[in-house]
Amino acid sequence: MTIKHIEEYRDPDTSRKIIDRIQNISKSKIRIMEVCGTHTMSIFRSGIRALLPNTISLLSGPGCPVCVTAQNEIDAFIELSRVDDVIIATFGDILRVPGTQSTLQKEKGYGGDIRVVYSTFDALDIARRNPGKRIVFLGVGFETTAPTIAASIISANEMGLDNFFVFSAHKLVPPALEALLETDNVRIDGFILPGHVSVIIGTKAYTPLFEKYKIPGAVAGFEPIDILQAVSLLIEQIESGHPRLENAYIRAVTFDGNKKAQKIMHDVFETVDINWRGMGTIPKSGLKIRKGYAAFDAQREFDILVPYSKDPKGCACGEILTGMKIPPECILYKKICTPMDPVGPCMVSSEGTCAAYYRYHS
Amino acid sequence: MCLAIPSKIVKIENNMGTIDVAGARRKVSLLLLEDAIVGDYVIVHAGFALHKIDESAANEALKILREAVSRVEGRD
Amino acid sequence: MKTNKILLDHGSGGKISHSLITDIMLPIFDNPILSQLNDGAIFDVEGKRLAFSTDTYVVDPIFFPGGNIGDLAINGTVNDIAMCGATPLYLSVGLVIEEGFSLDDLEEILKSMSIAAEKACVKVVTGDTKVVPTGVADKIFINTSGIGLIPESVDIASHKARPGDKIILSGSIGDHGITVLTQREGMTFDSSVISDSAPLNHMVNGMLCVCNEIHVLRDPTRGGVGTALNEIANKSNAGIRIYEEKIPVKDEVAGICELLGFDPLYIANEGKLLAFVDPDRAGDVLAAVKDDEFGKDACIIGEVISEHPRKVFMQTRIGGTRIVDMLTGEQLPRIC
């Protein structure tokens, strides 16, 4: 493949040299957590784990938005899909996630009008073409996705659409990192920080966290060389005892981030405390639609009351998301819980740690 | 999460740009960018351009990385 | 979470389709020919070995760059028969048409079927047409079945892969699946990718002329190359190793896959084959594939290994190793 700004970062020769360097400098046993599902996927797909010395453990954190969406939110999505005049528009990731009783994919099979889109603008198109229906976009994602959804709400407002709604289940990364570091029994020596979340929020968003915890961090891109370089930088920091907040994704990430996207996100959303699957409620880690745009808030438009639902019995997704367990340590893994018949969200999303382990790990 | 890949802007109309990824083209919204011109490489996520790649910074960073790893090899 | 209804996943060609076939269908129709689960059934009639196959086409959209549902239906069954090592001879065509369907479109589809049949040197010798009320079917569905004759010395089946065998892939992967996908609502891309829908029987004939000891042939349609290799590894009780850098993927297909979060290894092909061949003969067979008009980009992508039976491994471009699992259900665009 010859895609510019990708090809260079998949070069076998450079990769090998970085791996050599990692082999040379790695001495003590360290645990590095990636907090982005696309990093998890990329690490597995390029077979990076097998190339690293056994001193390095890579843990997958709460970086897959589908995986951290609370079960009662999934149940609410399913309830909404059963409302007569509703068309659900969603990214594909969420379709197979099991709620307490069902999945959106099953609801689709039972006649629910559920459409997978590539962009929120496609959902606006559906709303325009179906004036007699109410279109609900399922807002699942982190800071990368939230501004695109905010922009679509602003556009819907400008277009005067009265049948477009967003169910905001968005989550924010920095508060989750802090929650992780505050959790007992969690041992993380350094973070590979998410690439495209950081495109929006900039490296400055991690400064307070870094100042408080002095935890080594490196923002990374998604190609093998990006990830290897970040791992190498983190090992250097940890071995030398000089933690830093580094940017290993210079072509895409700046200190300030994308200010215009931040403003649009801020104009439409305000922060709220929100429940993360497996992690409980994290203060100011969610996004709720502001009063000014309340007309587009699905939670206001629809009276969907879903009781707090418990995570499935035996499912260790919570411990896996916080790095306390790896998938083979879960009693359900590969026995009851498989990609064909997933129990917990980490097995459903292709970016989920369990699914990645199942698919790519021997 | 957050799939996004570098794509080249080949056309701009109003707030929509046409991007090209190895020959495949699609319209994306430029609402989240301050300034973008035809020929820029942008990072696209879910139908929106999120960031304009600074080519010189990208090339410089790659050069530094390559030099750094070559030095390691030279020393060994 | 079990379901008591059929979902689209059941038709994806991946694991969920497999469990429908093996858990529900096979026990009902169980017989030694069916249970081999090859692309086509292979059996003897009066001393001749025949291959018999059927396939139903419901592609949406029905017209797409590089073909339409008609030539796809001809090529698909021709290829299923060819993958048994047989020379396809006669085909049947069954049409289910939705009331209100355009006669011009029907004519165009039938004409392309005729051209495709001619190209593949097969004859459509019987057929059936049904019309159903609006909404009961989506525009048009086509079933084709066909039979072919297997030359005496040929013995091809998906359980015959042997350690050491080289794996030949006849060209770039994912072209058909990406072409069709990018025509759908909400997923549209402008691209010059066209479906690779093509008859492969002449290619197979050319391969068998240079070497009649091809062990396995498979056209990686639904579920893609990744799923096809897993099926072969399972049935042959052998391990498979492939090399990421050897697998041809067109730039545009790779780009669209990157944007949508798809793995080209699981995208459908309609004019490609995988061949498992003795290492000593692989060069000759590869040359024969490349001689065919649809095999110009053919290459060897890996080999069968004795370790890790029933698993498919891929050596990645940076030198790592990962498992290539079978597709589970439909690939969904991964965005958030």
Side-chain angles (χ1 to χ4, degrees):
Chain A
M1 190 169 56
T2 50
I3 299 176
K4 197 174 169 189
H5 295 300
I6 287 193
E7 192 64 18
E8 306 89 301
Y9 302 92
R10 293 181 179 175
D11 173 50
D13 185 50
T14 312
S15 308
R16 192 183 48 77
K17 287 175 179 166
I18 305 176
I19 292 161
D20 286 349
R21 183 170 65 181
I22 290 173
Q23 298 276 7
N24 281 339
I25 60 175
S26 173
K27 303 278 184 281
S28 43
K29 276 199 179 296
I30 58 174
R31 291 157 61 87
I32 294 173
M33 177 177 272
E34 84 268 356
V35 198
C36 169
T38 305
H39 280 149
T40 307
M41 279 283 282
S42 184
I43 287 166
F44 279 102
R45 278 184 66 174
S46 52
I48 283 178
R49 276 167 191 259
L51 297 171
L52 294 177
N54 55 14
T55 41
I56 312 293
S57 302
L58 291 181
L59 311 167
S60 307
C64 156
V66 167
C67 301
V68 296
T69 301
Q71 182 138 343
N72 58 328
E73 283 172 330
I74 304 283
D75 287 340
F77 298 164
I78 289 165
E79 277 302 308
L80 272 174
S81 78
R82 292 172 175 167
V83 177
D84 267 347
D85 65 337
V86 162
I87 299 175
I88 298 280
T90 175
F91 298 139
D93 319 48
I94 203 100
L95 250 65
R96 289 201 182 89
V97 182
T100 310
Q101 305 282 342
S102 180
T103 67
L104 284 171
Q105 193 162 42
K106 278 180 194 160
E107 295 302 316
K108 191 164 169 257
Y110 300 167
D113 195 344
I114 297 161
R115 305 188 192 179
V116 173
V117 295
Y118 169 68
S119 160
T120 45
F121 272 28
D122 299 326
L124 289 182
D125 273 343
I126 296 173
R128 247 195 322 248
R129 284 201 306 270
N130 295 277
K133 300 271 191 177
R134 290 185 288 177
I135 284 61
V136 180
F137 185 85
L138 305 180
V140 171
F142 294 136
E143 291 93 329
T144 324
T145 311
T148 73
I149 290 163
S152 73
I153 290 176
I154 293 173
S155 297
N157 194 32
E158 284 166 1
M159 288 190 273
L161 280 178
D162 60 2
N163 63 334
F164 175 78
F165 306 94
V166 169
F167 191 117
S168 177
H170 297 100
K171 300 196 168 45
L172 303 174
V173 169
L177 297 180
E178 174 145 21
L180 268 173
L181 293 172
E182 288 290 338
T183 307
D184 294 338
N185 304 324
V186 168
R187 200 200 121 202
I188 299 160
D189 298 311
F191 282 122
I192 297 175
L193 295 166
H196 293 138
V197 163
S198 306
V199 166
I200 302 295
I201 65 178
T203 50
K204 71 166 183 216
Y206 307 107
T207 312
L209 188 82
F210 177 76
E211 292 301 329
K212 188 169 171 190
Y213 297 94
K214 298 290 175 209
I215 175 102
V219 174
F222 299 97
E223 301 309 323
I225 287 180
D226 291 320
I227 294 169
L228 287 170
Q229 193 199 357
V231 169
S232 157
L233 291 172
L234 287 171
I235 298 170
E236 272 172 28
Q237 291 185 34
I238 297 163
E239 291 293 341
S240 67
H242 294 298
R244 285 191 300 277
L245 176 55
E246 286 185 284
N247 181 2
Y249 195 22
I250 284 171
R251 64 190 183 280
V253 175
T254 59
F255 177 73
D256 285 323
N258 181 338
K259 287 184 171 172
K260 190 174 179 187
Q262 289 167 21
K263 181 174 185 311
I264 288 173
M265 187 159 58
H266 179 80
D267 287 348
V268 175
F269 296 118
E270 58 188 316
T271 55
V272 284
D273 301 350
I274 198 167
N275 188 24
W276 292 54
R277 167 121 40 174
M279 296 180 71
T281 299
I282 302 176
K284 295 194 172 163
S285 68
L287 291 176
K288 171 177 170 252
I289 297 175
R290 284 183 191 276
K291 280 216 181 73
Y293 292 97
F296 302 96
D297 189 344
Q299 276 142 296
R300 188 173 155 276
E301 170 77 10
F302 298 90
D303 204 15
I304 300 285
L305 261 185
V306 177
Y308 176 79
S309 29
K310 264 198 248 153
D311 292 348
K313 205 175 168 201
C315 172
C317 278
E319 286 148 297
I320 287 164
L321 290 172
T322 48
M324 287 193 272
K325 274 189 180 170
I326 57 169
E329 291 168 350
C330 172
I331 52 165
L332 304 182
Y333 176 75
K334 263 192 173 177
K335 295 183 189 84
I336 297 172
C337 183
T338 65
M340 257 177 92
D341 210 4
V343 176
C346 296
M347 188 59 95
V348 180
S349 164
S350 53
E351 298 190 345
T353 314
C354 298
Y357 251 84
Y358 189 96
R359 288 210 171 87
Y360 301 127
H361 208 66
S362 47
Chain B
M1 51 143 301
C2 306
L3 210 63
I5 77 161
S7 327
K8 189 175 179 176
I9 300 181
V10 291
K11 201 169 122 189
I12 296 179
E13 269 176 304
N14 300 323
N15 261 322
M16 296 298 282
T18 302
I19 51 142
D20 180 300
V21 185
R25 293 181 173 201
R26 190 189 153 100
K27 284 203 167 147
V28 300
S29 167
L30 302 176
L31 277 176
L32 300 178
L33 284 189
E34 288 289 357
D35 53 342
I37 53 167
V38 169
D40 280 346
Y41 275 85
V42 289
I43 289 187
V44 169
H45 167 73
F48 286 79
L50 295 186
H51 174 79
K52 196 170 97 175
I53 291 180
D54 180 340
E55 295 249 358
S56 60
N59 292 336
E60 182 65 19
L62 195 60
K63 199 174 129 216
I64 291 170
L65 171 69
R66 282 182 178 149
E67 280 170 8
V69 292
S70 297
R71 269 204 310 279
V72 169
E73 193 178 52
R75 211 166 48 215
D76 286 345
Chain C
M1 202 175 290
K2 300 286 179 207
T3 170
N4 56 358
K5 302 231 178 177
I6 288 290
L7 303 176
L8 284 173
D9 275 342
H10 287 106
S12 66
K15 278 187 187 174
I16 296 175
S17 305
H18 272 256
S19 68
L20 178 70
I21 293 168
T22 49
D23 300 348
I24 299 194
M25 296 177 175
L26 210 49
I28 295 175
F29 294 108
D30 191 26
N31 68 60
I33 298 173
L34 179 68
S35 62
Q36 290 181 21
L37 295 178
N38 280 318
D39 276 345
I42 297 170
F43 47 83
D44 291 341
V45 177
E46 311 260 316
K48 296 280 184 197
R49 286 180 71 220
L50 297 181
F52 178 39
S53 186
T54 188
D55 210 334
T56 304
Y57 296 82
V58 297
V59 63
D60 169 37
I62 52 175
F63 294 97
F64 47 82
N68 64 50
I69 189 169
D71 44 52
L72 189 68
I74 297 291
N75 291 335
T77 290
V78 162
N79 292 346
D80 280 349
I81 297 168
M83 294 310 121
C84 302
T87 306
L89 297 169
Y90 301 110
L91 260 55
S92 71
V93 172
L95 304 172
V96 177
I97 309 171
E98 185 186 17
E99 178 186 22
F101 187 67
S102 148
L103 212 51
D104 286 348
D105 285 351
L106 179 63
E107 216 177 322
E108 191 179 339
I109 289 167
L110 295 176
K111 278 183 182 156
S112 20
M113 293 182 86
S114 154
I115 294 169
E118 203 170 309
K119 209 166 175 180
C121 302
V122 294
K123 287 200 165 53
V124 174
V125 292
T126 181
D128 176 53
T129 305
K130 295 283 187 291
V131 179
V132 297
T134 310
V136 173
D138 185 13
K139 297 187 248 329
I140 184 168
F141 299 154
I142 302 181
N143 172 273
T144 51
S145 301
I147 55 166
L149 200 55
I150 302 176
E152 224 160 82
S153 52
V154 170
D155 187 14
I156 292 171
S158 45
H159 64 272
K160 293 195 183 291
R162 289 202 290 252
D165 279 2
K166 293 288 179 195
I167 304 168
I168 296 168
L169 170 64
S170 68
S172 62
I173 61 170
D175 299 359
H176 176 77
I178 288 297
T179 303
V180 171
L181 183 95
T182 53
Q183 305 294 314
R184 294 201 184 139
E185 182 195 29
M187 296 290 154
T188 43
F189 286 84
D190 289 331
S191 88
S192 60
V193 182
I194 61 169
S195 167
D196 59 351
S197 172
L200 298 172
N201 53 325
H202 303 311
M203 184 190 291
V204 171
N205 194 29
M207 294 161 73
L208 290 170
C209 280
V210 299
C211 168
N212 58 12
E213 283 174 62
I214 293 168
H215 300 148
V216 182
L217 281 177
R218 173 60 67 93
D219 57 336
T221 53
R222 280 180 314 174
V225 166
T227 303
L229 290 176
N230 269 284
E231 285 168 3
I232 295 164
N234 268 322
K235 286 195 186 156
S236 300
N237 199 26
I240 287 176
R241 182 167 55 214
I242 56 173
Y243 302 90
E244 187 174 22
E245 60 185 347
K246 304 275 189 204
I247 298 169
V249 185
K250 292 203 173 95
D251 282 353
E252 283 184 84
V253 171
I256 293 169
C257 281
E258 291 285 343
L259 273 173
L260 294 176
F262 288 165
D263 187 339
L265 279 175
Y266 300 112
I267 307 278
N269 309 279
E270 291 291 346
K272 296 291 160 14
L273 62 74
L274 290 161
F276 286 60
V277 189
D278 202 83
D280 300 339
R281 308 304 307 276
D284 295 343
V285 176
L286 178 63
V289 175
K290 279 172 170 281
D291 267 349
D292 188 86
E293 64 171 309
F294 303 114
K296 300 270 171 280
D297 300 324
C299 54
I300 292 175
I301 60 160
E303 61 263 333
V304 180
I305 50 178
S306 45
E307 313 89 72
H308 310 296
R310 306 165 92 89
K311 291 230 186 298
V312 180
F313 287 90
M314 180 156 88
Q315 186 174 317
T316 65
R317 286 187 51 188
I318 62 161
T321 305
R322 70 147 158 116
I323 285 188
V324 177
D325 191 23
M326 198 179 258
L327 179 68
T328 304
E330 266 195 310
Q331 277 204 104
L332 297 168
R334 191 166 57 86
I335 308 281
C336 67

